[in-house]
């Protein structure tokens, strides 16, 4: 494990590198941030939002929690969403899950882990909702894999159903909501086919993405 001193050393070296590449980089950022994207992802340390899409500080507004869950009573997530859409004026919201998600796996296996069980209950609701699709898969590995995808799609739809996004669409603001998933195995992002930029598109986007995939597909 790197020591605390090492982290400060790393930070100094990183700041020096950034300044060498662009001498006005930090000065510009102190004046304003102007992200075009809101990223809602998992807290997993292997899925760092900016690095995956190779964006600099200032380009991505980020909210992360265990299992990239969007709950209509979560003031934290809803506040990030509202601020991103209404104040920062982001035009794209990405819900990004990842295969091999510990939160999804624990939810699937109903493994007790403590306080977090209540949070993971939301993912268990996704599992229950799609039980027949999951049961049709050959084994638990395939079911967990698909549950990681289904969870993204459900949470992306939840984003669409927030008062913030509904209001933005009513007002004619351009906000697109997308569902993506990241693979720890090859570092590649995949589009799950959920994309909605107005209320009328949500149901069709959801239905297209949620349909059971062919085996191996
Ligand atoms: Co995860």
């Amino acid at each position: 494990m790197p020591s605390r001193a090492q982290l400060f050393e790393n930070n100094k070296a990183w700041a020096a590198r950034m300044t060498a590449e662009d001498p006005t980089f930090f000065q510009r950022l102190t004046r304003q941030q102007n992200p075009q994207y809101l990223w809602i992802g998992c807290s997993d340390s292997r899925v760092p939002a900016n690095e995956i899409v190779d964006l600099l500080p200032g380009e991505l507004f980020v909210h992360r929690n265990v299992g990239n869950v969007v709950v209509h009573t979560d003031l934290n997530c809803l506040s990030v969403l509202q601020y991103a859409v209404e104040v920062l004026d982001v035009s794209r919201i990405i819900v990004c899950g990842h295969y091999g998600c510990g939160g999804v796996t624990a939810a699937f296996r109903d493994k007790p882990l403590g306080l977090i069980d209540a949070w993971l209950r939301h993912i268990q609701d996704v599992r229950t909702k799609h039980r027949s699709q999951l049961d049709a898969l050959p084994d638990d590995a395939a079911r967990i894999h698909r549950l990681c995808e289904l969870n993204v799609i459900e949470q992306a739809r939840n984003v669409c159903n927030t008062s913030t996004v509904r209001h933005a669409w009513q007002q004619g603001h351009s906000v697109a909501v997308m569902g993506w998933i990241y693979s720890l195995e090859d570092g590649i992002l995949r589009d799950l086919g959920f994309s909605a930029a107005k209320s009328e598109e949500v149901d069709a986007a959801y239905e297209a993405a949620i349909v059971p995939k062919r085996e191996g597909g």
Side-chain angles (χ1 to χ4, degrees):
M1 186 178 74
S3 68
R4 194 170 57 156
Q6 184 63 53
L7 297 185
F8 280 97
E9 283 303 314
N10 289 356
N11 167 253
K12 261 193 234 158
W14 171 79
R17 226 167 36 239
M18 297 300 282
T19 305
E21 283 172 21
D22 179 354
T24 64
F25 180 71
F26 289 111
Q27 284 163 16
R28 280 206 317 279
L29 281 185
T30 54
R31 286 197 292 275
Q32 63 163 20
Q33 61 167 336
N34 188 26
Q36 298 298 304
Y37 292 93
L38 166 62
W39 174 283
I40 299 175
C42 184
S43 299
D44 193 302
S45 63
R46 300 164 296 180
V47 194
N50 281 70
E51 277 100 321
I52 289 173
V53 285
D54 200 17
L55 288 180
L56 289 167
E59 296 185 311
L60 201 62
F61 200 63
V62 175
H63 176 78
R64 290 167 70 182
N65 62 45
V66 175
N68 41 272
V69 175
V70 177
V71 186
H72 294 299
T73 50
D74 177 11
L75 202 55
N76 184 352
C77 182
L78 295 181
S79 299
V80 169
L81 186 64
Q82 188 255 329
Y83 187 78
V85 171
E86 295 182 8
V87 182
L88 296 175
D89 206 22
V90 303
S91 56
R92 290 180 174 82
I93 301 169
I94 300 158
V95 176
C96 186
H98 66 104
Y99 296 119
C101 181
V104 171
T105 304
F108 181 85
R109 298 199 185 285
D110 205 12
K111 184 180 171 195
L113 295 170
L115 175 66
I116 196 169
D117 297 350
W119 181 251
L120 298 179
R121 185 64 62 185
H122 297 294
I123 302 176
Q124 291 183 320
D125 289 344
V126 176
R127 180 193 178 190
T128 302
K129 188 173 176 182
H130 299 287
R131 187 176 289 278
S132 60
Q133 178 179 154
L134 293 168
D135 284 350
L137 293 169
D139 54 33
D140 279 358
R143 292 180 190 111
I144 291 168
H145 192 83
R146 182 59 177 154
L147 185 55
C148 288
E149 298 176 343
L150 293 171
N151 182 50
V152 170
I153 296 159
E154 290 290 343
Q155 308 310 332
R157 184 162 80 161
N158 286 347
V159 169
C160 296
N161 288 335
T162 59
S163 53
T164 292
V165 170
R166 288 165 71 119
H167 184 253
W169 283 341
Q170 277 165 10
Q171 300 294 308
H173 293 305
S174 170
V175 182
V177 180
M178 297 164 279
W180 297 354
I181 196 154
Y182 175 77
S183 171
L184 298 173
E185 288 174 12
D186 58 11
I188 298 297
L189 273 176
R190 289 168 178 85
D191 190 335
L192 287 172
F194 182 100
S195 178
K198 47 185 155 179
S199 297
E200 304 81 62
E201 294 177 358
V202 176
D203 285 348
Y206 176 81
E207 294 302 335
I210 215 78
V211 70
K213 296 202 293 190
R214 285 182 306 111
E215 208 172 310

